Amino acid sequence: MSFVADQVRRIDIQLDRLQLSGQSVILSAPPSPILTTSSFDTEHPSGEVSKGLPPPRIRELQAAVKSLSTASSSKPVLSSTRIQYLLEQGSFRPRETLASSQSEADASYENELEWLLIGKATAQTYGLILNILLEQTIPLGNDIWYWEEVLGSYWYTGLYTIQTSPLRLWDWSKDIYEDAWSRLDSRTREGVNVVTFESLADRWKHFYGLIKESVRERSLADVQQHIMSPFALSRAEARKKQHGLKRLREMSASGLGVLMDEGLSFDTDEEGAIARGNQAGSLDREDWKNVVAKSVALMESILRNITTLEGGVADFEDTIFATVEDDHELAQEPSSEEDPIPRPLVLSARLRSILSVHVPQHTAVSSYLAKEYGRPSRLTRYWLPVTALLLSSSTLLRIFINRKAEIITWVRELGTTVIDFWENWVVEPVKKVIGTIRHDKDSEVAIMSKGSLESDRASLERMVVDFAVDNPDTSGGAPLTEYQIANVRSKVKEGDLTPVLRAYERDLRKPFMGTVRGDLVRALLIQVQKTKVDVEVAVGGIDALLKSQELVFGFVGLTPGILVCLGVSRWLGSFFGSRRGIKQGKKQGQMIRILRNIDRILSASTSANNGMLSYKEHGLLLCEIHVLRQNAQRVLPGDIHREFLEEVDDLVDIRMGVNRQLKVVERMRWAYARWLR
């Protein structure tokens, strides 16, 4: 939302308060028919009288006033055609056309409604012109910086010279052609009719000779005048256009400041009464009407003179105020005997003239000047690379045709690689992580199978039991009982192989006999099985550790794919985001630069105007604040944005003085530093 909308709403509220203040004076007087229901009694042709309905004329005015009020519309500033339509709906008329049956109170009430309609239409026109000036002034800064870059670098100056060389050649050829035709016409008028009876070829030969003569004279004139090189000419042209843009920007900013400071300035207090001594009643009502009439003349004068760049800002401001002071229609309300045309009718006609004539003319002239002094068109700036591309298009097309199969293969392989990467490094790891969370059997991490340890341990138990039964001497000499066998089996589960180790130690004394009997080899094989079981127990511990960290390994496998996808998405987002508009970080940086520009405007302000900004400086400040509010709406959160708007309102109010405005800028810097980084 722009400050223009806030300004129009504020003026609309002031008009309503002034109107209510005027009605309060009427209410303090003796009862009038206009304030009673019977005054709106109308008689129909049938003889019936309708109670409580105002006349059609008053209803039309009330409807038009309601449509022009900012409170009745979601759009604070209406369009030009809408304002004109509502002014025409008011159907202002001279006093002599008033009905003879209309009472004086009805006429007074109708006159007040007409003035209220004019005031609200003026406020809408005021907001419309402010928006137009803002939209035309703000983009000029970018073109000024463009010419600054052209003048600040020889490389950019040379590039600009090449870009504009076709236009220079065209203008030069056009001048030569027109000069040749003018020479031919002048010789014909002087009676030197040398081509009357010649053939067509001779005529063209004679015309070609005139062209050569014109070129020769122009070349000599250029040498005599010491014309600069094309490079220096380009710099001079850029400097001239930059100066024109600066002048146009200063004039627009000055008009914006004058309109903001002097337009519709009622100088009201909180109750809506005009704060001018002890005056009240009808005199107060006449004062705000004069302010409205003066504002209409001010807007018309600004639109007429703002595009006159020959004079300076001071001349422009003096012309505006002199025109407003000399306006004969700003006189007090004439009496009905002196002039039958009321001021609302005159102001309505002037408002319609502003909206239908002056606003379109100003828009057209400003657009022409901005185009004349602005940066070259896109065709001028990019004709060189486009021409190079067109000239090399046949070669590029031939390369594409010759490598068609390879290009198709590259594209197909690229698509296959992307699909395989997505499926193998993103989809599959995600499925495994989800399976791990759900304790899916297929997703468990394991080094060995679940039944391997149990089967090897049972085999070792049987080997040891069989060995102890076949060699009872290792357990005391007598055959083993069931209790002893169960005891051996339990010890094997604990890792105790005492019967086997005893036989092994015994056979080591006589290894040959042990080998022949087979007990030594059997003991060795049992120990090998025992080693296998121990290894499987250790592997089982590692397996349990892996299972406890199974989710971690799943996310580790998913991390590369996620990182690659995030990197690609960030790159694509930044690439396409730069095309859609300035990103959040750029908005914040732009807000910091705007605050810097505001600080420069306030610091460079002269103290000749009682410590307040001049009209031009105020206009430049308004342009910066307009852009600042638009960026803040996208950067700051809701509550912070509302507080920020309070600071902006303090910054716009030039009555505070430059010193207090500088303090507001400093407060904005530290108070909102978190969102401006």
Side-chain angles (χ1 to χ4, degrees), residues 446-618:
I447 300 178
M448 64 179 186
S449 59
K450 293 182 178 180
S452 177
L453 178 60
E454 286 77 3
S455 60
D456 289 339
R457 183 176 291 174
S459 176
L460 177 62
E461 182 180 340
R462 289 192 297 270
M463 289 179 183
V464 174
V465 171
D466 292 341
F467 186 84
V469 171
D470 295 339
N471 298 278
D473 53 342
T474 59
S475 300
L480 299 178
T481 61
E482 292 295 333
Y483 174 75
Q484 291 176 332
I485 293 174
N487 188 22
V488 171
R489 186 176 287 110
S490 62
K491 289 183 178 181
V492 171
K493 292 180 180 180
E494 296 174 358
D496 186 3
L497 302 181
T498 301
V500 178
L501 293 177
R502 286 179 181 176
Y504 180 70
E505 293 171 358
R506 183 192 62 193
D507 291 338
L508 283 178
R509 296 174 185 173
K510 298 178 179 180
F512 182 74
M513 293 298 296
T515 303
V516 173
R517 287 198 309 270
D519 293 339
L520 182 60
V521 176
R522 191 176 179 184
L524 286 173
L525 293 176
I526 291 174
Q527 292 186 60
V528 170
Q529 182 67 17
K530 174 64 170 58
T531 304
K532 181 181 178 182
V533 171
D534 292 340
V535 171
E536 290 183 352
V537 170
V539 172
I542 299 175
D543 223 4
L545 181 62
L546 291 177
K547 288 181 179 179
S548 65
Q549 303 296 324
E550 192 172 0
L551 189 60
V552 176
F553 288 112
F555 280 109
V556 169
L558 181 61
T559 300
I562 296 298
L563 291 178
V564 172
C565 291
L566 286 177
V568 173
S569 62
R570 289 285 298 274
W571 180 79
L572 291 176
S574 61
F575 180 76
F576 291 104
S578 61
R579 295 177 178 269
R580 289 192 300 266
I582 303 175
K583 298 182 293 185
Q584 187 84 355
K586 292 185 178 180
K587 291 290 183 184
Q588 296 171 348
Q590 189 175 5
M591 290 180 65
I592 296 176
R593 292 193 297 272
I594 291 173
L595 289 176
R596 174 252 183 193
N597 295 337
I598 293 174
D599 191 276
R600 290 186 72 249
I601 293 172
L602 296 175
S603 301
S605 175
T606 60
S607 58
N609 195 18
N610 297 325
M612 296 171 59
L613 296 175
S614 63
Y615 294 124
K616 183 191 73 173
E617 294 166 344
H618 191 199

Side-chain angles (χ1 to χ4, degrees), residues 14-29:
Q14 288 178 349
L15 287 171
D16 292 336
R17 287 179 177 175
L18 290 169
Q19 186 68 14
L20 292 175
S21 176
Q23 290 183 3
S24 63
V25 176
I26 299 176
L27 289 173
S28 62

